[in-house]
Amino acid sequence: MASFGRIAVPTGLRRALTFWRRSIQARVVVSTLVLSAIVICAVGWFLLQQTREGLLKHRVDVVVGEVEAEVADTRDRLSAASATGANASEQRSDLIDPIIEAGDSRGYSVVLGGPEDNETSLEDGGAHRTSGLELVSVPERLEEHFDGVNRSTAWTYTEIVRTTPDGETVREPGIVVGSQVKLPADGQTYTIYFLFPLTEEEETLSLVTQALITANGLLLVLVAGITWLVTRQVVTPVRMARQVAERLAAGRLQERLRVTGEDDLARLAMSFNQMASNLQRQIRQLEELSWVQRRFVSDVSHELRTPLTTVRMAGDVLHDARRDFDPVTARAAELLQVELDRFETLLVDLLEISRFDAGAAVLDVEDINLLDVAHRVVDSVRPLADQRGVLVVVEQPDRPVRAQVDARRVERILRNLVTNAIDHAFPDDPDRPIVVRMAADEQAAAITVRDRGVGLAPGESAMVFNRFWRSDPARARSSGGTGLGLAISLEDAHLHGGWLQAWGRPGDGAQFRLTLPRRAGMPLRRSPLPLAPIDEVASEPEPPDDSPAATDPGREPSRGATS
């Protein structure tokens, strides 16, 4: 099971949803099928309704004509019987018996009601009827229509109910037609109900329905096949373009699309290939330019070391003899020494950056306690902190924080972070110390450096690791930094497969978080410490550590400004 938000989604369903999101062809085919099914069902329903109405109308016309013919024949027969002097009982027999016999031979049923002036229902009047026919087959509304004499012929739909000799009740749809006949012997008017079953029409309609369903199913399959073939002609070139684009993104710049034909897709492939060629040419130019720049930085750094060594020796001599100089010259010798130190540090940083750019940096991994590294760093920067009047505190973790790292590089990262915190902290304010925290879990170890200084403006946390970037160019560096410390620290963190992030708020200080895998080569999923300080209740939420960007060991979410 996989989780989708807070809902547990089965793996099969999750894969189906992923396929649905990624496949244009599947969405087009399914959408076409759904729309076609709706249209086909609507058209089929309309055709069935038209067919049903046509069948019923034709059946009604036939049965009404048959009833009128039968009633006319019955009246003629009664007139003939009256001429022979038959009594009322004999005339009633002549009225109902031939009609029932004709109904049995022609497939319809007959019910003969009592005289209309008795005002009794069929049930109460002991009506004559076809054997097995239930009187409930005649609707009450049709009986009410014939309450009286000289009523016109009327019909309606009904449900014919019969009882078989086995005692089983059979129900079927039908049409009931009523008409009145006057008996000459007693002058009474009798109502005759003719009940015609709709079995044949029902079978015909069922046959038509099955034919429509079969035709609609075959039509949907045909539409799906046609849609799949049509979309395949469009989707296949797009998929090929995606595959070539992925290869180009992976560095295989020689990949190109195969161009066939002269249609829009072929012209798109030609444009894509032209774009790829231009990108390849520009990337090669940038690579050559980058190589020239790296080589220039490396050569300059190496070449400057020799004159720097000479200038350093001369500067040391002048600095040692500054007490014999006048005050102005002695101050100049001191400034020269300070700038030489900064220049030498800058050369070392440039050489380190050039090694990172050339991919020549390697790790010397060992299993160490990061708490020892933190104490060494704090002890080394304590003179600078005392000079600024800033207190640096290392919080004792609940358990040892051990990791397989390059101790020299991790120490350099922490030194840069603590020194940077001292540079931006408010001086002579013991109530706002710089706090170094650390924690570890089964997979990762993390160290945070929290200061309560000037902080970072919105958007600056994404630029703080850029080379030579400064939030306030007018602000003096008390530590004499080169502007490359945080950039080198970021590269050291990436070399370990870790993250280096920053959080800040103007006037409320900043916090930097270093997250490293406990074992070399282990991918990171989350950090044991939050990026935002614990004491910041109203701070904006940090991105989830298990986001796709966080799974890249060199690139975690940019909210702390990583890369």
Side-chain angles (χ1 to χ4, degrees), residues 37-56:
I38 293 174
V39 173
I40 290 174
C41 289
V43 173
W45 179 84
F46 176 77
L47 292 177
L48 285 177
Q49 292 299 316
Q50 293 296 315
T51 303
R52 178 177 179 274
E53 291 178 3
L55 289 173
L56 293 178

Side-chain angles (χ1 to χ4, degrees), residues 437 448-450 501-505 508 510-513 527-543 545 559-560:
R437 296 185 178 92
T448 60
V449 178
R450 168 75 161 118
Q501 301 168 269
W503 172 93
R505 182 173 293 171
D508 202 16
Q511 176 164 292
F512 288 77
R513 182 181 70 178
S527 180
L529 292 175
L531 177 58
I534 300 176
D535 52 358
E536 285 296 324
V537 179
S539 64
E540 56 184 285
E542 63 174 318
D545 289 330
R559 187 193 166 280

Side-chain angles (χ1 to χ4, degrees), residues 137-156:
S137 301
V138 180
E140 292 183 0
R141 61 180 180 276
L142 190 61
E143 291 186 53
E144 294 173 357
H145 174 76
F146 290 103
D147 286 345
V149 297
N150 298 325
R151 301 294 185 180
S152 61
T153 301
W155 66 272
T156 186

Side-chain angles (χ1 to χ4, degrees), residues 13 158 307 309-310 337 381 393 462 483 510:
L13 179 58
T158 186
T309 302
T310 303
Q337 187 73 9
V381 300
V393 178

Side-chain angles (χ1 to χ4, degrees), residues 356-379:
F356 280 120
D357 291 340
V362 294
L363 292 177
D364 184 12
V365 177
E366 56 180 322
D367 192 349
I368 63 173
N369 189 351
L370 296 181
L371 181 61
D372 298 336
V373 176
H375 282 299
R376 286 201 303 270
V377 169
V378 172
D379 292 340

Side-chain angles (χ1 to χ4, degrees), residues 83-311:
T84 61
N87 57 28
S89 177
E90 293 174 346
Q91 288 185 3
R92 279 196 297 270
S93 298
D94 292 338
L95 170 65
I96 189 61
D97 292 341
I99 295 177
I100 293 178
E101 292 176 0
D104 292 339
S105 62
R106 296 178 185 178
Y108 60 83
S109 303
V110 179
V111 176
L112 176 63
E116 294 302 329
D117 54 3
N118 290 343
E119 298 183 356
T120 58
S121 64
L122 293 179
E123 296 287 347
D124 299 333
H128 299 278
R129 60 183 182 275
T130 301
S131 176
L133 179 68
E134 300 290 338
L135 294 179
V136 295
S137 301
V138 180
E140 292 183 0
R141 61 180 180 276
L142 190 61
E143 291 186 53
E144 294 173 357
H145 174 76
F146 290 103
D147 286 345
V149 297
N150 298 325
R151 301 294 185 180
S152 61
T153 301
W155 66 272
T156 186
Y157 295 111
T158 186
E159 183 181 43
I160 301 176
V161 182
R162 289 190 177 90
T163 302
T164 64
D166 299 334
E168 182 181 358
T169 301
V170 178
R171 299 174 182 270
E172 58 182 346
I175 300 174
V176 56
V177 181
S179 184
Q180 290 184 337
V181 176
K182 186 176 182 180
L183 200 66
D186 55 7
Q188 297 291 335
T189 300
Y190 294 85
T191 303
I192 308 174
Y193 299 96
F194 300 82
L195 293 95
F196 297 85
L198 294 175
T199 306
E200 294 183 0
E201 287 73 17
E202 190 175 38
E203 293 176 353
T204 303
L205 190 61
S206 176
L207 182 61
V208 172
T209 302
Q210 292 177 1
L212 283 176
I213 292 175
T214 303
N216 291 345
L218 294 176
L219 183 60
L220 284 177
V221 172
L222 183 61
V223 169
I226 294 175
T227 306
W228 183 81
L229 290 176
V230 172
T231 55
R232 181 181 175 83
Q233 296 179 6
V234 179
V235 172
T236 298
V238 174
R239 289 175 178 171
M240 294 176 60
R242 174 184 61 81
Q243 294 172 358
V244 173
E246 290 175 351
R247 297 190 190 106
L248 289 173
R252 298 166 61 179
L253 302 179
Q254 74 281 358
E255 292 288 336
R256 295 294 183 272
L257 283 174
R258 184 174 60 185
V259 180
T260 55
E262 298 179 357
D263 56 8
D264 292 335
L265 292 176
R267 295 170 60 187
L268 175 63
M270 293 174 60
S271 301
F272 184 91
N273 291 340
Q274 184 177 2
M275 178 190 67
S277 299
N278 293 336
L279 288 176
Q280 183 181 14
R281 183 172 59 255
Q282 293 178 8
I283 289 174
R284 286 178 177 174
Q285 292 176 355
L286 291 174
E287 288 178 347
E288 293 175 358
L289 179 61
S290 177
W291 181 85
V292 171
Q293 290 176 342
R294 292 196 303 267
R295 186 57 182 258
F296 174 77
V297 172
S298 179
D299 292 345
V300 169
S301 301
H302 281 91
E303 292 299 328
L304 286 177
R305 293 185 69 86
T306 300
L308 177 61
T309 302
T310 303
V311 175

Side-chain angles (χ1 to χ4, degrees), residues 28 37 137 195 201 256 346 384 389 451 461 467 547 549 557:
V28 171
S137 301
L195 293 95
E201 287 73 17
R256 295 294 183 272
L346 177 60
L384 177 62
D451 68 76
S461 60
R467 299 174 185 182
S547 62

